[in-house]
Amino acid sequence: MALIEVDNLKTYFHTRNGVVKAVDDISFTLEKGEILGIVGESGSGKSVTVHTLMGLVPQPPGRIEGGTANFDNHNLLTTDEAVLRSLRGKRISMIFQDPMTSLNPYLRISEQLIEPLLIHEQANRKEALKRAITMLEKVGMSDAAKRVHSYPHEFSGGMRQRVMIAMALITDPEVLIADEPTTALDVTVQAQILQLLKDLQTDLGVSVIFITHDLGVIAELADRVVVMYQGHIVEQGDVLPIFENPQHPYTKGLLACRPRLESTFKVLPIVSDYLDETEVDGQIELSEKPDAAARIEAMQKIDEPEIDETDLLLEVNDLCVHFPERSGFFYGPEGWVKAVDGISFTVPRGSTLGLVGESGCGKTTTGRAILNLVVPTSGSVKFMGVEIAGRNAAAMLPLRKRMQIVFQDPYSSLNPRLTIEQALTEPMVVHGIGSSHSDRRDRAAALLEEVDLEPQFLRRYPHEFSGGQRQRICVARALSLEPEFIVCDEAVSAMDVSVQAQVLNLLKELQARRNLTYIFISHDLSVVKFMADTMAVMRAGKIVEQGSAEVIYANPAEDYTQRLIDAIPRDSVGSIKQRVT
Amino acid sequence: MKRDRLADVKFDEGTSLWKDARRRLFQNKMAVFGLCAFSLVTLLSFVGPSLLPYDHETIDLPYQARPPLSDKHSFVCPNHDYVHLYSVDENCYVCNTPLEPAAIQPARHLMGTDKLGRDLCAAVLRGGRVSLAVGFMATAVSLVIGVIWGAVAGYFGGRVDQFLMRIVDVLYALPFLIFVVLLMVMFGRNFLLLFFAIGFVEWLTMSRIVRAQVMALKNQEFVEAAVALGYGRMRIIFCHLLPNLLGPVIIYTTLTVPAVMLLESVLSFLGLGVQAPDTSWGVLIKQGAEGMEDYPWLLLFPAAFFSLTLFSLNFIGDGLRDALDPKSSKD
C-alpha cells in the first residue's frame, strides 16, 4: 500500500498579475521504503508540491484548488493545523536546500537537535541528548559527543547538511522530504551526502521524496522518478526505463543538457532543442521537435578555433594571497590564512583555463587577485606583458575595461535599484564609451540582443528576471566594456542544469565571436571540462595538477583529482543498472 | 536590421529610480494625503499668522482663558475699571459693589486663549514655524552627517571604521545638555545654533544604522562587480550603496523629526531654546499639559497640529520607501 497518495493536486497562486497554476492536477504515490525523485527546473512546481503536502504554502496568495493527499488516513490538505503539527517533524520530516540558513545561528546544534524530541515525544533532555549524539554518529560526524554542543557556524556546509539530516531523522519519521538538499553544495560534498542518504534509507527504512533539478542526482539515488514541467507531471516511472528510453521530449532535453565527462559535444543540447511548445486554444501543448535528432547530431561536429599557444594574454607567476587572521586597531595580525599560496599558470589568448577544486581551495581568491579585487601578497600577474599585481585603483582603471568578471550569484550581482539600462550604460559612462545617452542606450540594447534577451528589457529592474536571465545580463554588463578577458567565477553553479547549459553555450558562442579569453572557475569538473582547453586543479591554495583538460580527465595523476571526477553523479544507463539490480 | 528592431522598442523617457519613484508616490493615496496635509500645515504656519487679527503676543484682557470660539464675557465693577476674571455672582472685592457684565463681544479666538488672554491660534501657527524649522534643519543636518559618516565607515572598514566609530562613541558619551550649554556659552544664544546643536547629536544613531547596512551590503556581488568595472569609491558609495539604504534611512528620518521637535522644547524649558514670547509646539504642549484639566484646549490644539504633522510625515515616509523600492512596482 502506498504511504502517501497524491491525487489530482492543484495549488494555484493568486497574484496581482493573475492566477499562477504552480501545481496543476498532478497525481503520484510514494511507496513504503522507496526513494522517489521529483525532477524539474525551477518554476516547475516541484517545491510547491511538497510544500503543499507539508502545509507550508503561504495562503494567501496560495490556494489549494483541489485534490487529495492521503497519508495514513489523514488528508494532508484538509486536516486541521493541530493534527498537521503532530505529523510534521514527527512522521514526515523535511530538509531544505540551504544548510547555511536553515539552522538557527544563535542556538547550539544540540538544542536544535533535541527540540523535535522535546516537542513530539515529551522526552527528557538527557535522553534526548543521548539520542541526538547517536543520530549525529549515524550521519557520519566523528566525535559527536563533543561537537554536539557547537554552534552551526563551526561546521562546514556539508557538515551542516548532515546536522539537518540528523535533525530530520531523529524522530524516526516514516517520510523524509528532501528539497534540493545538495544544490548548494560542492559536487564532492554532494556525493558524500547522497551516499549518506542512501545508507540511511536502507538502515532506517524511511521513504524519501527527493527533489532536484539534476537528473544526474536522480540517477545516483532514486528508485522512481517524477518529471515535472510547468506544474504538470510529464513523465513518471521507474528510474531505469526513464533513463534508458525517455518518452517525453522534456525528459530527453533534461537528460542531454548535462555536460558529461565522456561526451564530445562542443555545444550542449538544451531543452528547447527537443521540446516544442505550441499554444492551442489557450492551452500550451508540448511536442517533440521533428528535427531534434539531426540537431543533436550537428552539435557534435562543430569545430573550435585554433589557439596560438605562444600568444599569452595572462601570465601568473608565484601568486600568493594571504589574509590576516585577526587584527585590531593597536595590534597586528595573529596569523595568516594562505588562501592562495604560490601558484603559476599562463593563459593563451582565445583559450579557456578551468580552475577546479573544492570550496575553500582558493580558486575564487585566485580569480579576484588576477583582477586586483583583492591585493596579492606577492607574486606577479602580467596582463599582455604588463605587470598589474598591486596596482592602485587609478592605475587599474584603464585595464578594467579589458578584463571583467562574472560572479556566481546572479541575484546579488546586480544592483536592485538600477534598471537594466542603467546597469549596462553606467560602465560606458565611467569609461567614456559612446558619444551620447542615446548612443549608449543603443549599445546596451545591442548587448542584450547579443546575450539572447529582448531590448525591451532595458527599462526593467533585476527582480523581474529569472536567475538565468540575470546571469545573461551580468554577462552583457561585463561585455559592455568590450573586454578581452573574463573571469567566470562559478558563473553557472547556482543554476539549474537546463539553464546552465544555455549559459555555457552562450559563453562559448561569445568566446568564438569576440575572441575572448576566459578563466572558468567551478567546483564541478564536468562543467570545467566542457568549457576549458587547459585545466588547473587547486587544493589548499596550491595547484596540484595542470594541463590539457582531456588529458587530466583521462589520466588524473593525483588522488584528489580522481576524487573530483568520482564525485560527479553518474547517469549512464549502465551505472543505474548496476545500482538497481 | 538591428536598428529596425530597436526602433520598435518604446522607451519611457527617463526610467530612472527617481522618476519611477515620483510616479509611484503619487499613486499612493496615503502618501498624497500626507503630502497635502503637511503642505497645508506648513503653509498655515508661515502665512497664517499675518492673516489673523491678533498676534501671539497681544493680550486680549476680557478673553483670558477662554475656550475656542467662546463669546462669554468678563465682569466689570462699575466703580473700578477692573476686569474680574473668574467671579460671576460675587461682588467686587475692592469696593463690594455688585459686578456688572462687560459689553458682550463676539467670538473671535478660533482656538481660545491662554491664561493671559493671548490668542492660541496665533501661538500655534507661530510655534509651527519654529518647530518645523528646527525639525527639518536639525534632521537635515543629522541626515547629511550621519549618512556620509556611516557610509564611509561601513564601506572602508578597518582602521577608518574604527577611527570614525570611536569618535561617535565619544560623542555618544558626552552629556547632551552640557554640550549645548557649552555651545551657548561659547557662541552666545542663537537660533541657528539650536539647529546645529540638535542635529549634531541626532546624527550619531543615523551613522550607526547606515554603517551596519553598508557593511551588510558591501559584500554583495554587485559592489564587487562595480569595483571590477572600474567605478570610483565615491560612485559606489553614493550611486550604488545609498539607494539601497533608503528604506531604513527614511524610516529613521521620520522618527527623528518628532524627536528633534520634542528635544527643542526641553532646551526651551531650560532657557536654551526659543524664548517667550516666541514659542514652539513643544513649548505650547508642555504648557498645555500643565493645565490640561482646566483648559484642555491649550493642550488639544498644539498637540493636534503636532500629531497631524507627524502622521503626514509618516505617511510620506512610508510612501517614499515603497516608491523607491522597484520591487513594489505595481505594473
Side-chain angles (χ1 to χ4, degrees):
Chain A
M1 202 197 98
L3 198 56
I4 293 185
E5 213 172 326
V6 177
D7 269 316
N8 303 99
L9 177 67
K10 290 180 190 166
T11 308
Y12 294 175
F13 287 89
H14 295 259
T15 67
R16 266 201 304 263
N17 303 324
V19 180
V20 179
K21 300 180 177 178
V23 175
D24 197 13
D25 200 8
I26 67 166
S27 308
F28 64 90
T29 56
L30 174 71
E31 303 294 334
K32 210 167 169 54
E34 75 168 350
I35 301 183
L36 174 73
I38 300 183
V39 68
E41 58 198 18
S42 46
S44 65
K46 56 192 194 305
S47 277
V48 175
T49 305
V50 293
H51 279 85
T52 309
L53 297 186
M54 292 290 275
L56 296 176
V57 170
Q59 305 188 33
R63 198 190 294 165
I64 297 164
E65 302 275 341
T68 55
N70 285 316
F71 171 71
D72 190 24
N73 298 327
H74 298 286
N75 182 354
L76 293 172
L77 306 181
T78 51
T79 35
D80 62 293
E81 182 64 22
V83 179
L84 212 54
R85 260 207 301 272
S86 72
L87 296 176
R88 270 203 302 247
K90 168 66 185 145
R91 300 180 62 189
I92 307 178
S93 291
M94 192 160 176
I95 47 181
F96 296 91
Q97 176 170 0
D98 191 352
M100 296 295 168
T101 56
S102 39
L103 286 170
N104 187 337
Y106 280 85
L107 291 180
R108 293 175 196 278
I109 61 161
S110 53
E111 292 297 322
Q112 304 187 49
L113 276 167
I114 65 175
E115 207 172 355
L117 290 177
L118 300 181
I119 293 170
H120 292 294
E121 301 184 9
Q122 284 78 41
N124 69 39
R125 295 184 66 89
K126 219 169 167 186
E127 193 60 33
L129 196 63
K130 214 180 273 170
R131 278 173 66 184
I133 293 169
T134 326
M135 201 64 229
L136 280 182
E137 279 164 355
K138 265 193 200 150
V139 298
M141 186 180 288
S142 54
D143 209 5
K146 213 165 103 193
R147 293 171 79 187
V148 71
H149 294 297
S150 313
Y151 284 98
H153 71 262
E154 297 172 54
F155 295 100
S156 65
M159 265 306 171
R160 282 189 223 192
Q161 200 57 289
R162 282 166 197 259
V163 173
M164 282 297 297
I165 293 171
M167 208 159 112
L169 292 177
I170 198 163
T171 53
D172 208 6
E174 290 144 74
V175 180
L176 175 68
I177 296 175
D179 188 1
E180 306 233 19
T182 59
T183 306
L185 305 173
D186 273 13
V187 273
T188 43
V189 185
Q190 165 171 298
Q192 294 163 15
I193 296 288
L194 291 182
Q195 189 58 48
L196 173 73
L197 278 173
K198 262 191 278 187
D199 294 347
L200 286 171
Q201 198 267 332
T202 340
D203 265 16
L204 306 172
V206 57
S207 314
V208 180
I209 298 179
F210 192 98
I211 295 176
T212 178
H213 62 87
D214 187 351
L215 267 173
V217 174
I218 296 284
E220 286 261 318
L221 192 73
D223 302 314
R224 279 195 315 122
V225 191
V226 168
V227 184
M228 284 189 75
Y229 184 65
Q230 293 184 346
H232 301 279
I233 292 180
V234 295
E235 191 164 2
Q236 62 177 317
D238 287 336
V239 61
L240 191 58
I242 285 200
F243 278 78
E244 239 173 2
N245 190 14
Q247 295 301 311
H248 198 273
Y250 177 69
T251 321
K252 290 183 190 171
L254 214 50
L255 270 172
C257 68
R258 185 168 217 293
R260 281 186 186 71
L261 283 173
E262 63 277 4
S263 78
T264 50
F265 282 115
K266 299 294 180 231
V267 177
L268 286 169
I270 56 176
V271 170
S272 61
D273 284 325
Y274 291 89
L275 191 66
D276 229 357
E277 295 183 33
T278 41
E279 207 175 302
V280 182
D281 309 330
Q283 294 285 331
I284 293 185
E285 254 174 37
L286 307 174
S287 57
E288 182 156 3
K289 282 198 175 143
D291 59 340
R295 279 162 171 263
I296 308 305
E297 190 67 31
M299 284 183 184
Q300 311 206 30
K301 293 185 184 138
I302 295 166
D303 282 331
E304 294 199 314
E306 287 291 309
I307 294 156
D308 178 6
E309 298 286 341
T310 55
D311 182 12
L312 295 180
L313 188 83
L314 189 77
E315 291 167 75
V316 174
N317 227 317
D318 206 22
L319 183 72
C320 291
V321 184
H322 297 178
F323 293 114
E325 218 158 272
R326 218 183 82 115
S327 69
F329 197 71
F330 295 112
Y331 45 90
E334 289 174 353
W336 298 91
V337 178
K338 297 180 176 176
V340 179
D341 198 17
I343 63 170
S344 312
F345 55 80
T346 56
V347 188
R349 183 188 294 275
S351 76
T352 303
L353 170 78
L355 269 183
V356 68
E358 293 177 329
S359 57
C361 73
K363 55 192 193 303
T364 292
T365 312
T366 307
R368 293 186 185 187
I370 291 167
L371 295 186
N372 235 331
L373 292 176
V374 294
V375 181
T377 315
S378 65
S380 97
V381 177
K382 281 194 178 139
F383 183 73
M384 301 182 69
V386 184
E387 179 63 51
I388 58 170
R391 281 200 185 197
N392 62 23
M396 270 312 284
L397 189 62
L399 285 167
R400 287 275 177 230
K401 63 177 171 183
R402 308 179 65 173
M403 46 206 307
Q404 275 304 310
I405 183 163
V406 176
F407 294 96
Q408 168 171 10
D409 183 2
Y411 290 91
S412 77
S413 51
L414 288 170
N415 186 340
R417 305 257 170 175
L418 296 186
T419 59
I420 303 310
E421 179 183 339
Q422 288 170 312
L424 291 180
T425 53
E426 193 178 0
M428 302 184 207
V429 175
V430 170
H431 289 274
I433 298 171
S435 51
S436 67
H437 184 72
S438 61
D439 177 39
R440 282 191 284 267
R441 173 191 286 165
D442 288 349
R443 283 167 186 259
L447 281 169
L448 280 186
E449 293 209 312
E450 193 165 354
V451 297
D452 300 330
L453 292 174
E454 299 290 316
Q456 280 92 332
F457 290 168
L458 277 183
R459 47 180 292 223
R460 298 209 188 155
Y461 287 94
H463 69 93
E464 298 172 55
F465 295 96
S466 69
Q469 286 175 321
R470 287 192 207 199
Q471 198 62 299
R472 285 163 192 269
I473 294 165
C474 291
V475 172
R477 182 178 60 184
L479 290 176
S480 67
L481 297 176
E482 295 174 2
E484 291 136 84
F485 171 63
I486 298 180
V487 173
C488 301
D489 183 6
E490 302 264 15
V492 295
S493 303
M495 288 174 192
D496 283 6
V497 276
S498 49
V499 182
Q500 168 182 302
Q502 296 170 16
V503 175
L504 289 178
N505 284 347
L506 173 70
L507 288 172
K508 273 219 162 178
E509 198 186 312
L510 290 170
Q511 176 169 44
R513 196 185 309 151
R514 294 182 167 229
N515 196 23
L516 293 170
T517 309
Y518 291 137
I519 286 189
F520 194 88
I521 300 171
S522 178
H523 62 85
D524 187 340
L525 213 137
S526 60
V527 174
V528 170
K529 190 195 157 244
F530 170 73
M531 284 299 294
D533 305 296
T534 53
M535 181 150 82
V537 184
M538 278 190 78
R539 181 186 196 182
K542 292 191 160 61
I543 290 180
V544 293
E545 190 168 359
Q546 63 179 317
S548 140
E550 303 284 337
V551 172
I552 289 189
Y553 161 63
N555 254 325
E558 296 281 325
D559 285 351
Y560 177 73
T561 316
Q562 185 63 49
R563 274 224 313 279
L564 287 175
I565 294 173
D566 290 342
I568 298 161
R570 262 165 305 270
D571 57 355
S572 67
V573 174
S575 63
I576 299 173
K577 239 180 206 156
Q578 204 177 4
R579 179 170 71 80
V580 294
T581 51
Chain B
M1 188 207 94
K2 227 165 216 178
R3 302 289 322 181
D4 290 343
R5 279 198 61 188
L6 276 181
D8 301 336
V9 182
K10 283 206 177 59
F11 293 107
D12 270 357
E13 262 323 308
T15 47
S16 80
L17 184 64
W18 300 105
K19 282 179 185 163
D20 280 359
R22 196 168 57 205
R23 183 175 51 80
R24 283 198 291 261
L25 186 67
F26 284 111
Q27 283 170 0
N28 183 334
K29 285 193 186 106
M30 292 309 267
V32 172
F33 164 76
L35 271 175
C36 293
F38 182 73
S39 313
L40 188 72
V41 169
T42 313
L43 195 73
L44 280 177
S45 299
F46 284 89
V47 183
S50 57
L51 304 178
L52 288 172
Y54 299 96
D55 68 17
H56 64 290
E57 289 176 84
T58 312
I59 292 172
D60 194 6
L61 268 180
Y63 279 81
Q64 279 169 324
R66 283 284 161 262
L69 288 177
S70 154
D71 59 355
K72 199 178 169 191
H73 45 73
S74 306
F75 294 86
V76 182
C77 170
N79 300 332
H80 301 84
D81 190 17
Y82 200 86
V83 182
H84 290 255
L85 292 177
Y86 310 112
S87 49
V88 179
D89 296 319
E90 287 167 37
N91 300 332
C92 174
Y93 56 81
V94 182
C95 55
N96 209 23
T97 37
L99 292 173
E100 291 170 8
I104 296 172
Q105 287 177 339
R108 51 186 181 184
H109 294 292
L110 204 59
M111 299 181 190
T113 54
D114 69 2
K115 277 178 267 181
L116 299 176
R118 293 178 298 189
D119 187 46
L120 183 61
C121 187
V124 167
L125 297 187
R126 173 81 193 184
R129 279 192 207 183
V130 175
S131 283
L132 289 173
V134 170
F136 277 85
M137 293 303 290
T139 305
V141 170
S142 81
L143 191 71
V144 170
I145 306 181
V147 166
I148 294 176
W149 199 276
V152 168
Y155 184 72
F156 289 99
R159 291 193 177 201
V160 177
D161 177 38
Q162 297 255 348
F163 179 70
L164 293 179
M165 282 302 118
R166 290 306 78 77
I167 290 179
V168 169
D169 288 345
V170 169
L171 290 178
Y172 256 130
L174 222 80
F176 172 61
L177 286 176
I178 293 179
F179 171 71
V180 176
V181 171
L182 275 177
L183 276 182
M184 299 288 171
V185 170
M186 276 163 69
F187 297 105
R189 231 176 53 208
N190 184 333
F191 200 61
L192 280 174
L193 208 59
L194 197 66
F195 299 147
F196 178 71
I198 297 179
F200 196 75
V201 175
E202 288 291 327
W203 70 268
L204 299 173
T205 314
M206 178 67 89
S207 77
R208 277 290 165 92
I209 292 174
V210 170
R211 168 178 171 267
Q213 293 284 328
V214 168
M215 284 169 81
L217 270 176
K218 73 171 177 182
N219 292 323
Q220 298 252 332
E221 283 173 342
F222 73 83
V223 177
E224 205 163 8
V227 178
L229 288 162
Y231 301 172
R233 288 162 172 174
M234 291 304 130
R235 187 180 199 100
I236 293 173
I237 293 179
F238 292 104
C239 300
H240 289 261
L241 289 174
L242 280 192
N244 283 288
L245 300 177
L246 286 171
V249 167
I250 287 171
I251 299 287
Y252 187 69
T253 305
T254 51
L255 293 177
T256 307
V257 174
V260 163
M261 288 182 180
L262 291 176
L263 201 55
E264 175 269 325
S265 73
V266 173
L267 290 182
S268 300
F269 178 72
L270 293 173
L272 299 170
V274 293
Q275 289 308 304
D278 210 345
T279 187
S280 72
W281 286 342
V283 172
L284 287 172
I285 289 172
K286 196 179 243 334
Q287 288 168 352
E290 283 159 13
M292 65 187 264
E293 287 176 6
D294 300 319
Y295 323 108
W297 63 92
L298 287 184
L299 176 61
L300 203 68
F301 286 102
F305 268 71
F306 190 67
S307 317
L308 180 66
T309 309
L310 299 192
F311 267 125
S312 41
L313 278 178
N314 273 321
F315 290 146
I316 296 171
D318 280 354
L320 268 179
R321 188 199 52 201
D322 290 347
L324 286 167
D325 185 359
K327 287 195 194 93
S328 71
S329 170
K330 289 198 170 107
D331 43 35

